[in-house]
Amino acid sequence: MIGNFLDQFWSLTFGGLSLGFIYILIALGYTMVYGVLRMINFANSEIFMVGTFATIIIIRDLFKFTQVSEYATGFRLWLILGTALIFAMLVSGILSMLVEMVAYRRLRRMNSGVLAPLISAIGVSMVLSESVRILTDSRPVASPRAMEKKFLGQFFDAGIRIDNTIIVISALVLFAILITFVNKTRMGKAIRAVSMNPNAARLMGINIDGVISATFLVGGLMTGAAGFFYTLKYENTSAFIGFELGIAAFTAAILGGIGNIKGAFYGGLALGLLETYASFFLGTQWKAVTVFIVLVLVLYTKPNGLFGEALTQTRA
Amino acid sequence: MFNLRDKGAEIWENQGRIGRIVIAVGAIAIVAALPFMGGTFLNTPVADYESVLVYPIAMFVLMAIGLNIVIGKSGLLDLGYVAFFAIGAYTMGLLGTKTDLNTWEILPIGIAMAMFSGIILGVPALKLRGDYLAIITLGFGEIVRIVALNLGALGRSEGIQGIPTPPGIFGIEYAFDSHRIYYWTLLILILLAIWMVRRLSARRAGRAWESIRQDEDAAELLGVPTFKYKVWAFVLGASVGGAAGVLYASKTLFIAPDNFTLQISILILACVVFGGMGNIWGVILGAVILGYLPDRIRFLSEARLLVFGLVLVIMMNLRPDGILPRKKREKAIVKKDAS
Amino acid sequence: MNKSLIELKNVTMKFGGVTALSDVTFDVKEKEILGLIGPNGAGKTTVFNVITGVYQITSGEIIFDGKSLAGVKRYKITKRGIARTFQNIRLWGDMTALENVMTAADTHKKSGLVSGLFGFPISRREEKRDKARAQELLDFIGIGEYSDRLAKNLPYGVQRRLEIARAMGAEPKLLLLDEPAAGFNPAEKVELAATIRKIRDAGYTVLLIEHDMSLVMKVSDRVVVLDFGQKIADDSPRNVQDDKRVIEAYLGVPEDAS
């Protein structure tokens, strides 16, 4: 077992890394919203799920790929991937904003405590996943393969697959853009101000509703990108996919210290690797259980996360 | 709508002891007679009327009463309530097929198992903030299902078949298709649960839960052992879920992980929220309506969960107290004084 | 002089880099009314919070009734005999005034869920007795007629008094009052002063935070003054009023502003 593990170590690691980057992007959806609202965005998992379907719509319906199509190459391939990524991000981003308006905004104005918005968000995620379930007849949906999954090279004995490479590089780029946005732009600074101290931010004339909307938008964009990458890697989705990925990404956010953008990065990577290694030993059917145990242990022993600096200093 | 609650409370509080007994007995008699009304407008075109009375309606009512202890009374959001239902059902399934114990002997064991898992989950989870509790319980509900799906001893996706029906008592036989017998059995369990909840709410425990729900820190600082009472609420809720699970397994005679999905937790949550968190009559009414309508109105049955999701969003935004809100004792009493 | 009921010995409380209390030492004698005053941010409410276990002190010691309070759970501190009110009213709004008091009174109850469930005679008797006692407390504070009203619907002044009655419900030896006169008009303040004295005469020890100087000086047996987390005076009301450092702290001298 251990011998096998060492043989496969690098290929597992590459798979775990790309999964980790998918987690990072979804975790950003949780962590940013948590930063400004101090609330778990329960619907984020379904926003991810919708992102995977948005990707399939582009590849399958716009570019008419089927399971037997020839692979696209060159410029056309990048056009397809680029369109799908942007479309998935936009759909999820806008949906995320809508979710905020429907599930949270009114309750926030009513100052209704913690329970009501949580339940309302649960309701919204139920509506989203059920709508998609009814539309897809409860069946999983396969994504046609538009890109040949070549190996770019070898690292020790492990092949470096092109889709994993694309995921890691694009996710890094998106993450860098996000960090720049949060640190350099007006809106980014406003988001940080609100997450540090909403009342002070309000007194300084920041439009809180606008900032919260923007935060949901940005979180949704990142989560939508994760939907695209997930579809690229696993070529499969269903109406039920949100739950498992959602709770894993939430665990990643907690692991890194929720509310903390850099924490989401470390937490996502750590969980992606941990889950992949654990699945190797225990079998993939137990990976949700592994994730859950990690979540409970972290919440119980280090609720501020393993990687974060003091939460108050680096919140979103 | 507003008047429905106050009217009811007013009538009840202005009755003497005998009047109250008459009302209670009358209400129970009407509810117990429901299986005979299959031929009337109540009939359900989607599924067999009498079986609908058992599941979902009576089962939902029982579980909603249990979940209401957790959510409505003490303000703890438990999104994994199905776990306790599943634990009760699997206890019945395993012991019913592997041992000679019968349903009535397994019932307390199933309840104990559910309470025990309530402690296992609750003791670490209840130390956390409310929204973390929500996600931990959400995960737990799903973990129980995954464990059932992957453990050979629990039958994996095949589940457990050939679970025995309850043995007859007092000459009443439980046949697989005698729905009304199960319905009446559940009715007795429901009455017991109502009795338990009302009893506790009127006393020290009820006050402690209420204070925790409204301001936990203030409660702790005024001497309420908040953690202990939160665990109690959680465990009592679990016990009701476990009891429902045992009965469910002994009724369907076949259980599989698919019967215990996350959606059940959300359905029961919707019943509680729709009816009115914290008001036991509201919760019962909510469970009856949400259990009944999808089988009465055909197009609802396909989109059942969608509708329930909508119910959660709409109720929270427009009427967060539910259709029959928490009783405001003040009003009824003031009226009585005036008369 | 009576013996000490509670002693704070060299108590220091730091939050990160900020020192809220610095080496504070004072005691409250039995059956005494001790006024705790100081400008805004002096650390008065922090004193309440360290006594009631909301914060664990960074160093020092708090002895109550001969025993240390270090590491004692918050509800157990109440059980030992310390109860407080809140500066920003924190009643349980959806409960009646009577229930608010009864809930706090449950602190000392033995009978648990099981006997509550089966309605053992002991529990039923206890319930009756508690109700009567809670009503007595409301009468004592002068708000008996509001017992069946929901706390959230009560007038502001009644809510403030209910805070006191609720804390007394927990049968404390030491009662911590956090600005009980906030928002009161002069007539109400006079009445409150009488109530506080009445509470002391009934056998309670009172530690009082209050902004209204005339009220503090009128009811307190002794006054402790905090400024920037340090004790700057501990004397009779008369002497404190003449204390140079106290006057400086309140009026602000240039060195404070720097």
Side-chain angles (χ1 to χ4, degrees), chain B residues 195 199 202-204 207 210-211 214-215 217 219-223 225 232 329-330, chain C residues 78 90 92-94 99 102 106-107 111 113 117 119 123 127 149-150 153 166:
Chain B
W195 171 77
R199 200 76 209 213
R203 294 281 165 87
R204 187 182 172 197
R207 288 194 291 269
E210 186 74 4
S211 69
Q214 292 178 39
D215 189 337
D217 287 328
E220 176 91 19
L221 285 168
L222 282 151
W232 262 113
R329 254 153 286 170
E330 184 176 352
Chain C
T78 314
R90 289 180 76 169
W92 300 300
D94 281 338
E99 285 170 329
M102 286 176 77
D106 290 335
T107 308
S111 88
L113 277 133
L117 190 55
S123 161
E127 186 82 4
R149 297 276 302 277
L150 294 181
N153 297 341
R166 180 176 68 168

mmCIF file of all heavy atoms in Angstrom, chain B residues 195 199 202-204 207 210-211 214-215 217 219-223 225 232 329-330, chain C residues 78 90 92-94 99 102 106-107 111 113 117 119 123 127 149-150 153 166:
data_model
loop_
_atom_site.group_PDB
_atom_site.id
_atom_site.type_symbol
_atom_site.label_atom_id
_atom_site.label_comp_id
_atom_site.label_asym_id
_atom_site.label_seq_id
_atom_site.Cartn_x
_atom_site.Cartn_y
_atom_site.Cartn_z
ATOM 1 N N TRP B 195 -47.319 15.991 24.699
ATOM 2 C CA TRP B 195 -47.372 16.054 26.156
ATOM 3 C C TRP B 195 -45.996 16.399 26.717
ATOM 4 O O TRP B 195 -45.847 17.277 27.552
ATOM 5 C CB TRP B 195 -47.845 14.699 26.699
ATOM 6 C CG TRP B 195 -47.749 14.574 28.171
ATOM 7 C CD1 TRP B 195 -48.591 15.112 29.091
ATOM 8 C CD2 TRP B 195 -46.735 13.888 28.907
ATOM 9 N NE1 TRP B 195 -48.163 14.798 30.351
ATOM 10 C CE2 TRP B 195 -47.030 14.057 30.272
ATOM 11 C CE3 TRP B 195 -45.611 13.154 28.532
ATOM 12 C CZ2 TRP B 195 -46.236 13.508 31.276
ATOM 13 C CZ3 TRP B 195 -44.822 12.606 29.522
ATOM 14 C CH2 TRP B 195 -45.134 12.789 30.879
ATOM 15 N N ARG B 199 -45.217 19.937 28.583
ATOM 16 C CA ARG B 199 -44.813 19.787 29.969
ATOM 17 C C ARG B 199 -43.499 20.520 30.235
ATOM 18 O O ARG B 199 -43.377 21.294 31.165
ATOM 19 C CB ARG B 199 -44.623 18.281 30.203
ATOM 20 C CG ARG B 199 -44.664 17.862 31.610
ATOM 21 C CD ARG B 199 -46.080 17.880 32.025
ATOM 22 N NE ARG B 199 -46.109 18.168 33.429
ATOM 23 C CZ ARG B 199 -47.025 17.669 34.246
ATOM 24 N NH1 ARG B 199 -47.974 16.903 33.770
ATOM 25 N NH2 ARG B 199 -46.999 17.987 35.507
ATOM 26 N N ALA B 202 -43.508 24.468 29.918
ATOM 27 C CA ALA B 202 -44.161 25.260 30.947
ATOM 28 C C ALA B 202 -43.261 25.428 32.162
ATOM 29 O O ALA B 202 -43.532 26.255 33.011
ATOM 30 C CB ALA B 202 -45.458 24.587 31.363
ATOM 31 N N ARG B 203 -42.234 24.630 32.237
ATOM 32 C CA ARG B 203 -41.411 24.627 33.442
ATOM 33 C C ARG B 203 -40.036 25.221 33.180
ATOM 34 O O ARG B 203 -39.784 25.873 32.208
ATOM 35 C CB ARG B 203 -41.277 23.181 33.951
ATOM 36 C CG ARG B 203 -42.584 22.604 34.423
ATOM 37 C CD ARG B 203 -42.903 23.109 35.814
ATOM 38 N NE ARG B 203 -44.299 22.850 36.153
ATOM 39 C CZ ARG B 203 -44.731 21.714 36.687
ATOM 40 N NH1 ARG B 203 -43.878 20.742 36.941
ATOM 41 N NH2 ARG B 203 -46.000 21.561 36.974
ATOM 42 N N ARG B 204 -39.161 24.842 34.086
ATOM 43 C CA ARG B 204 -37.814 25.368 34.088
ATOM 44 C C ARG B 204 -37.103 25.197 32.742
ATOM 45 O O ARG B 204 -36.492 26.122 32.230
ATOM 46 C CB ARG B 204 -37.039 24.613 35.169
ATOM 47 C CG ARG B 204 -35.687 25.151 35.398
ATOM 48 C CD ARG B 204 -34.976 24.324 36.438
ATOM 49 N NE ARG B 204 -33.610 24.732 36.509
ATOM 50 C CZ ARG B 204 -32.663 24.018 37.064
ATOM 51 N NH1 ARG B 204 -32.944 22.856 37.590
ATOM 52 N NH2 ARG B 204 -31.431 24.473 37.086
ATOM 53 N N ARG B 207 -38.290 27.655 30.129
ATOM 54 C CA ARG B 207 -37.755 29.005 30.358
ATOM 55 C C ARG B 207 -36.297 29.088 29.960
ATOM 56 O O ARG B 207 -35.860 30.064 29.353
ATOM 57 C CB ARG B 207 -37.906 29.372 31.830
ATOM 58 C CG ARG B 207 -39.313 29.653 32.267
ATOM 59 C CD ARG B 207 -39.325 30.339 33.622
ATOM 60 N NE ARG B 207 -38.895 29.463 34.696
ATOM 61 C CZ ARG B 207 -39.723 28.706 35.419
ATOM 62 N NH1 ARG B 207 -41.016 28.725 35.172
ATOM 63 N NH2 ARG B 207 -39.252 27.950 36.388
ATOM 64 N N GLU B 210 -36.014 29.144 26.206
ATOM 65 C CA GLU B 210 -36.505 30.424 25.715
ATOM 66 C C GLU B 210 -35.452 31.526 25.920
ATOM 67 O O GLU B 210 -35.193 32.334 25.039
ATOM 68 C CB GLU B 210 -37.811 30.752 26.448
ATOM 69 C CG GLU B 210 -38.542 31.959 25.970
ATOM 70 C CD GLU B 210 -39.244 31.736 24.644
ATOM 71 O OE1 GLU B 210 -39.228 30.608 24.116
ATOM 72 O OE2 GLU B 210 -39.773 32.716 24.130
ATOM 73 N N SER B 211 -34.834 31.522 27.092
ATOM 74 C CA SER B 211 -33.830 32.558 27.359
ATOM 75 C C SER B 211 -32.613 32.367 26.466
ATOM 76 O O SER B 211 -32.019 33.338 26.003
ATOM 77 C CB SER B 211 -33.433 32.544 28.840
ATOM 78 O OG SER B 211 -32.695 31.375 29.145
ATOM 79 N N GLN B 214 -33.378 33.701 23.024
ATOM 80 C CA GLN B 214 -33.487 35.151 22.892
ATOM 81 C C GLN B 214 -32.170 35.885 23.141
ATOM 82 O O GLN B 214 -31.874 36.867 22.477
ATOM 83 C CB GLN B 214 -34.562 35.679 23.839
ATOM 84 C CG GLN B 214 -35.932 35.230 23.411
ATOM 85 C CD GLN B 214 -36.996 35.718 24.363
ATOM 86 O OE1 GLN B 214 -36.940 36.833 24.851
ATOM 87 N NE2 GLN B 214 -37.962 34.877 24.642
ATOM 88 N N ASP B 215 -31.405 35.446 24.117
ATOM 89 C CA ASP B 215 -30.110 36.082 24.381
ATOM 90 C C ASP B 215 -29.269 35.119 25.200
ATOM 91 O O ASP B 215 -29.358 35.073 26.422
ATOM 92 C CB ASP B 215 -30.311 37.404 25.134
ATOM 93 C CG ASP B 215 -29.005 38.188 25.236
ATOM 94 O OD1 ASP B 215 -27.929 37.571 25.133
ATOM 95 O OD2 ASP B 215 -29.075 39.413 25.413
ATOM 96 N N ASP B 217 -26.058 34.888 25.832
ATOM 97 C CA ASP B 217 -25.048 35.406 26.770
ATOM 98 C C ASP B 217 -25.704 35.881 28.060
ATOM 99 O O ASP B 217 -25.215 35.609 29.152
ATOM 100 C CB ASP B 217 -24.268 36.559 26.130
ATOM 101 C CG ASP B 217 -23.311 36.034 25.079
ATOM 102 O OD1 ASP B 217 -22.816 34.900 25.249
ATOM 103 O OD2 ASP B 217 -23.073 36.735 24.090
ATOM 104 N N ALA B 219 -28.419 34.808 29.253
ATOM 105 C CA ALA B 219 -28.875 33.620 29.971
ATOM 106 C C ALA B 219 -27.731 33.033 30.793
ATOM 107 O O ALA B 219 -27.885 32.745 31.986
ATOM 108 C CB ALA B 219 -29.417 32.590 28.982
ATOM 109 N N GLU B 220 -26.601 32.868 30.152
ATOM 110 C CA GLU B 220 -25.439 32.280 30.831
ATOM 111 C C GLU B 220 -25.051 33.128 32.044
ATOM 112 O O GLU B 220 -24.750 32.606 33.113
ATOM 113 C CB GLU B 220 -24.279 32.212 29.826
ATOM 114 C CG GLU B 220 -22.977 31.710 30.392
ATOM 115 C CD GLU B 220 -22.821 30.201 30.255
ATOM 116 O OE1 GLU B 220 -23.526 29.614 29.419
ATOM 117 O OE2 GLU B 220 -22.002 29.629 30.991
ATOM 118 N N LEU B 221 -25.110 34.457 31.874
ATOM 119 C CA LEU B 221 -24.682 35.344 32.956
ATOM 120 C C LEU B 221 -25.715 35.436 34.070
ATOM 121 O O LEU B 221 -25.420 35.933 35.146
ATOM 122 C CB LEU B 221 -24.390 36.742 32.407
ATOM 123 C CG LEU B 221 -23.078 36.818 31.635
ATOM 124 C CD1 LEU B 221 -22.966 38.116 30.885
ATOM 125 C CD2 LEU B 221 -21.886 36.638 32.570
ATOM 126 N N LEU B 222 -26.927 34.962 33.811
ATOM 127 C CA LEU B 222 -27.906 34.969 34.884
ATOM 128 C C LEU B 222 -28.126 33.563 35.419
ATOM 129 O O LEU B 222 -29.160 33.248 35.992
ATOM 130 C CB LEU B 222 -29.197 35.623 34.427
ATOM 131 C CG LEU B 222 -28.980 37.135 34.458
ATOM 132 C CD1 LEU B 222 -29.824 37.846 33.449
ATOM 133 C CD2 LEU B 222 -29.216 37.697 35.857
ATOM 134 N N GLY B 223 -27.143 32.713 35.180
ATOM 135 C CA GLY B 223 -27.137 31.433 35.864
ATOM 136 C C GLY B 223 -27.770 30.273 35.125
ATOM 137 O O GLY B 223 -27.940 29.205 35.692
ATOM 138 N N PRO B 225 -27.471 27.222 32.879
ATOM 139 C CA PRO B 225 -26.421 26.384 32.291
ATOM 140 C C PRO B 225 -26.729 26.125 30.822
ATOM 141 O O PRO B 225 -27.307 25.101 30.460
ATOM 142 C CB PRO B 225 -26.456 25.096 33.122
ATOM 143 C CG PRO B 225 -27.698 25.123 33.902
ATOM 144 C CD PRO B 225 -28.331 26.478 33.802
ATOM 145 N N TRP B 232 -29.530 19.081 25.897
ATOM 146 C CA TRP B 232 -30.816 18.447 26.181
ATOM 147 C C TRP B 232 -31.813 18.644 25.050
ATOM 148 O O TRP B 232 -32.495 17.705 24.638
ATOM 149 C CB TRP B 232 -31.418 18.996 27.477
ATOM 150 C CG TRP B 232 -31.159 18.124 28.653
ATOM 151 C CD1 TRP B 232 -30.373 18.430 29.725
ATOM 152 C CD2 TRP B 232 -31.670 16.808 28.891
ATOM 153 N NE1 TRP B 232 -30.365 17.378 30.605
ATOM 154 C CE2 TRP B 232 -31.154 16.370 30.126
ATOM 155 C CE3 TRP B 232 -32.502 15.952 28.179
ATOM 156 C CZ2 TRP B 232 -31.446 15.127 30.669
ATOM 157 C CZ3 TRP B 232 -32.794 14.710 28.707
ATOM 158 C CH2 TRP B 232 -32.275 14.310 29.941
ATOM 159 N N ARG B 329 -48.455 35.111 25.170
ATOM 160 C CA ARG B 329 -49.328 34.888 26.321
ATOM 161 C C ARG B 329 -50.028 36.158 26.794
ATOM 162 O O ARG B 329 -51.158 36.147 27.194
ATOM 163 C CB ARG B 329 -48.512 34.321 27.484
ATOM 164 C CG ARG B 329 -48.766 32.868 27.714
ATOM 165 C CD ARG B 329 -47.570 32.249 28.341
ATOM 166 N NE ARG B 329 -46.521 32.113 27.343
ATOM 167 C CZ ARG B 329 -45.290 31.782 27.639
ATOM 168 N NH1 ARG B 329 -44.925 31.598 28.865
ATOM 169 N NH2 ARG B 329 -44.389 31.637 26.689
ATOM 170 N N GLU B 330 -49.302 37.233 26.688
ATOM 171 C CA GLU B 330 -49.794 38.494 27.221
ATOM 172 C C GLU B 330 -51.231 38.809 26.812
ATOM 173 O O GLU B 330 -52.102 39.001 27.638
ATOM 174 C CB GLU B 330 -48.878 39.602 26.738
ATOM 175 C CG GLU B 330 -49.218 40.941 27.306
ATOM 176 C CD GLU B 330 -48.215 41.970 26.849
ATOM 177 O OE1 GLU B 330 -47.208 41.592 26.235
ATOM 178 O OE2 GLU B 330 -48.442 43.136 27.116
ATOM 179 N N THR C 78 -22.639 32.883 38.793
ATOM 180 C CA THR C 78 -23.948 33.357 39.228
ATOM 181 C C THR C 78 -24.466 32.505 40.379
ATOM 182 O O THR C 78 -25.008 33.003 41.354
ATOM 183 C CB THR C 78 -24.942 33.295 38.058
ATOM 184 O OG1 THR C 78 -24.321 33.843 36.899
ATOM 185 C CG2 THR C 78 -26.208 34.049 38.376
ATOM 186 N N ARG C 90 -30.726 44.009 28.391
ATOM 187 C CA ARG C 90 -30.739 42.713 27.695
ATOM 188 C C ARG C 90 -31.720 41.762 28.360
ATOM 189 O O ARG C 90 -31.356 40.685 28.806
ATOM 190 C CB ARG C 90 -29.333 42.119 27.688
ATOM 191 C CG ARG C 90 -28.396 42.866 26.779
ATOM 192 C CD ARG C 90 -27.026 42.273 26.779
ATOM 193 N NE ARG C 90 -26.951 41.047 26.000
ATOM 194 C CZ ARG C 90 -25.787 40.474 25.682
ATOM 195 N NH1 ARG C 90 -24.654 41.012 26.082
ATOM 196 N NH2 ARG C 90 -25.765 39.369 24.986
ATOM 197 N N TRP C 92 -35.061 39.218 28.244
ATOM 198 C CA TRP C 92 -35.595 38.285 27.247
ATOM 199 C C TRP C 92 -36.968 38.807 26.853
ATOM 200 O O TRP C 92 -37.974 38.576 27.537
ATOM 201 C CB TRP C 92 -35.660 36.885 27.839
ATOM 202 C CG TRP C 92 -34.307 36.405 28.253
ATOM 203 C CD1 TRP C 92 -33.217 36.252 27.440
ATOM 204 C CD2 TRP C 92 -33.874 36.024 29.563
ATOM 205 N NE1 TRP C 92 -32.145 35.787 28.170
ATOM 206 C CE2 TRP C 92 -32.518 35.642 29.464
ATOM 207 C CE3 TRP C 92 -34.496 35.954 30.798
ATOM 208 C CZ2 TRP C 92 -31.777 35.212 30.563
ATOM 209 C CZ3 TRP C 92 -33.757 35.526 31.885
ATOM 210 C CH2 TRP C 92 -32.410 35.163 31.765
ATOM 211 N N GLY C 93 -36.995 39.506 25.722
ATOM 212 C CA GLY C 93 -38.164 40.284 25.336
ATOM 213 C C GLY C 93 -39.450 39.504 25.167
ATOM 214 O O GLY C 93 -40.528 40.009 25.455
ATOM 215 N N ASP C 94 -39.345 38.259 24.694
ATOM 216 C CA ASP C 94 -40.560 37.486 24.437
ATOM 217 C C ASP C 94 -41.063 36.744 25.671
ATOM 218 O O ASP C 94 -41.945 35.900 25.571
ATOM 219 C CB ASP C 94 -40.319 36.481 23.301
ATOM 220 C CG ASP C 94 -40.378 37.147 21.939
ATOM 221 O OD1 ASP C 94 -40.993 38.229 21.858
ATOM 222 O OD2 ASP C 94 -39.804 36.615 20.983
ATOM 223 N N GLU C 99 -41.615 35.774 34.152
ATOM 224 C CA GLU C 99 -40.766 34.689 33.653
ATOM 225 C C GLU C 99 -39.301 35.087 33.606
ATOM 226 O O GLU C 99 -38.410 34.265 33.839
ATOM 227 C CB GLU C 99 -41.228 34.265 32.258
ATOM 228 C CG GLU C 99 -42.504 33.448 32.272
ATOM 229 C CD GLU C 99 -43.077 33.259 30.880
ATOM 230 O OE1 GLU C 99 -42.901 34.161 30.029
ATOM 231 O OE2 GLU C 99 -43.702 32.231 30.663
ATOM 232 N N MET C 102 -38.159 34.526 37.030
ATOM 233 C CA MET C 102 -38.149 33.106 37.375
ATOM 234 C C MET C 102 -36.990 32.368 36.710
ATOM 235 O O MET C 102 -36.382 31.468 37.293
ATOM 236 C CB MET C 102 -39.471 32.452 36.976
ATOM 237 C CG MET C 102 -40.625 32.813 37.885
ATOM 238 S SD MET C 102 -42.162 32.103 37.290
ATOM 239 C CE MET C 102 -41.993 30.403 37.804
ATOM 240 N N ASP C 106 -34.124 30.140 38.579
ATOM 241 C CA ASP C 106 -33.873 28.714 38.370
ATOM 242 C C ASP C 106 -32.422 28.330 38.655
ATOM 243 O O ASP C 106 -32.094 27.150 38.769
ATOM 244 C CB ASP C 106 -34.215 28.317 36.926
ATOM 245 C CG ASP C 106 -35.706 28.345 36.671
ATOM 246 O OD1 ASP C 106 -36.463 28.191 37.636
ATOM 247 O OD2 ASP C 106 -36.107 28.525 35.510
ATOM 248 N N THR C 107 -31.553 29.324 38.740
ATOM 249 C CA THR C 107 -30.138 29.090 39.012
ATOM 250 C C THR C 107 -29.903 28.072 40.119
ATOM 251 O O THR C 107 -29.036 27.223 40.027
ATOM 252 C CB THR C 107 -29.482 30.415 39.460
ATOM 253 O OG1 THR C 107 -29.789 31.396 38.504
ATOM 254 C CG2 THR C 107 -27.986 30.259 39.588
ATOM 255 N N SER C 111 -34.224 20.350 40.859
ATOM 256 C CA SER C 111 -35.064 19.485 40.033
ATOM 257 C C SER C 111 -34.801 19.734 38.562
ATOM 258 O O SER C 111 -34.801 20.850 38.090
ATOM 259 C CB SER C 111 -36.537 19.751 40.325
ATOM 260 O OG SER C 111 -37.014 20.795 39.514
ATOM 261 N N LEU C 113 -34.891 18.017 34.342
ATOM 262 C CA LEU C 113 -35.887 17.792 33.299
ATOM 263 C C LEU C 113 -36.828 16.661 33.645
ATOM 264 O O LEU C 113 -38.018 16.733 33.379
ATOM 265 C CB LEU C 113 -35.163 17.461 31.997
ATOM 266 C CG LEU C 113 -34.690 18.687 31.252
ATOM 267 C CD1 LEU C 113 -33.270 18.518 30.819
ATOM 268 C CD2 LEU C 113 -35.578 18.942 30.060
ATOM 269 N N LEU C 117 -40.757 16.866 33.767
ATOM 270 C CA LEU C 117 -41.560 16.152 32.789
ATOM 271 C C LEU C 117 -42.713 15.422 33.454
ATOM 272 O O LEU C 117 -43.848 15.472 33.019
ATOM 273 C CB LEU C 117 -40.659 15.160 32.054
ATOM 274 C CG LEU C 117 -41.238 14.466 30.835
ATOM 275 C CD1 LEU C 117 -41.731 15.493 29.851
ATOM 276 C CD2 LEU C 117 -40.169 13.591 30.202
ATOM 277 N N GLY C 119 -43.868 15.889 36.391
ATOM 278 C CA GLY C 119 -44.656 16.703 37.293
ATOM 279 C C GLY C 119 -44.703 16.163 38.706
ATOM 280 O O GLY C 119 -45.741 16.139 39.347
ATOM 281 N N SER C 123 -41.628 19.238 42.235
ATOM 282 C CA SER C 123 -41.430 20.198 41.172
ATOM 283 C C SER C 123 -42.616 21.155 41.097
ATOM 284 O O SER C 123 -42.450 22.354 40.909
ATOM 285 C CB SER C 123 -41.248 19.460 39.860
ATOM 286 O OG SER C 123 -41.486 20.316 38.791
ATOM 287 N N GLU C 127 -42.449 25.123 41.713
ATOM 288 C CA GLU C 127 -42.896 26.052 40.686
ATOM 289 C C GLU C 127 -43.793 27.130 41.288
ATOM 290 O O GLU C 127 -43.657 28.308 41.016
ATOM 291 C CB GLU C 127 -43.651 25.244 39.617
ATOM 292 C CG GLU C 127 -44.066 26.040 38.417
ATOM 293 C CD GLU C 127 -42.935 26.207 37.416
ATOM 294 O OE1 GLU C 127 -41.844 25.638 37.631
ATOM 295 O OE2 GLU C 127 -43.136 26.932 36.436
ATOM 296 N N ARG C 149 -46.828 41.120 31.681
ATOM 297 C CA ARG C 149 -46.561 41.771 30.390
ATOM 298 C C ARG C 149 -45.257 41.248 29.809
ATOM 299 O O ARG C 149 -44.308 40.956 30.523
ATOM 300 C CB ARG C 149 -46.446 43.290 30.595
ATOM 301 C CG ARG C 149 -47.727 43.940 31.102
ATOM 302 C CD ARG C 149 -48.683 44.253 29.975
ATOM 303 N NE ARG C 149 -48.078 45.139 28.993
ATOM 304 C CZ ARG C 149 -48.029 46.458 29.111
ATOM 305 N NH1 ARG C 149 -48.536 47.058 30.162
ATOM 306 N NH2 ARG C 149 -47.480 47.188 28.161
ATOM 307 N N LEU C 150 -45.213 41.138 28.466
ATOM 308 C CA LEU C 150 -43.963 40.740 27.829
ATOM 309 C C LEU C 150 -42.927 41.835 28.034
ATOM 310 O O LEU C 150 -43.223 43.024 27.913
ATOM 311 C CB LEU C 150 -44.167 40.514 26.323
ATOM 312 C CG LEU C 150 -45.070 39.343 25.930
ATOM 313 C CD1 LEU C 150 -45.139 39.241 24.415
ATOM 314 C CD2 LEU C 150 -44.561 38.041 26.520
ATOM 315 N N ASN C 153 -42.525 44.754 25.663
ATOM 316 C CA ASN C 153 -43.582 45.764 25.564
ATOM 317 C C ASN C 153 -43.604 46.729 26.753
ATOM 318 O O ASN C 153 -44.449 47.617 26.821
ATOM 319 C CB ASN C 153 -44.952 45.094 25.456
ATOM 320 C CG ASN C 153 -45.066 44.259 24.198
ATOM 321 O OD1 ASN C 153 -44.288 44.465 23.253
ATOM 322 N ND2 ASN C 153 -45.992 43.327 24.179
ATOM 323 N N ARG C 166 -34.601 40.972 37.891
ATOM 324 C CA ARG C 166 -34.154 39.706 37.321
ATOM 325 C C ARG C 166 -32.835 39.263 37.965
ATOM 326 O O ARG C 166 -32.675 38.107 38.362
ATOM 327 C CB ARG C 166 -33.976 39.838 35.807
ATOM 328 C CG ARG C 166 -33.505 38.554 35.162
ATOM 329 C CD ARG C 166 -33.413 38.659 33.670
ATOM 330 N NE ARG C 166 -32.351 39.553 33.241
ATOM 331 C CZ ARG C 166 -31.910 39.640 31.986
ATOM 332 N NH1 ARG C 166 -32.470 38.910 31.041
ATOM 333 N NH2 ARG C 166 -30.947 40.474 31.657
#
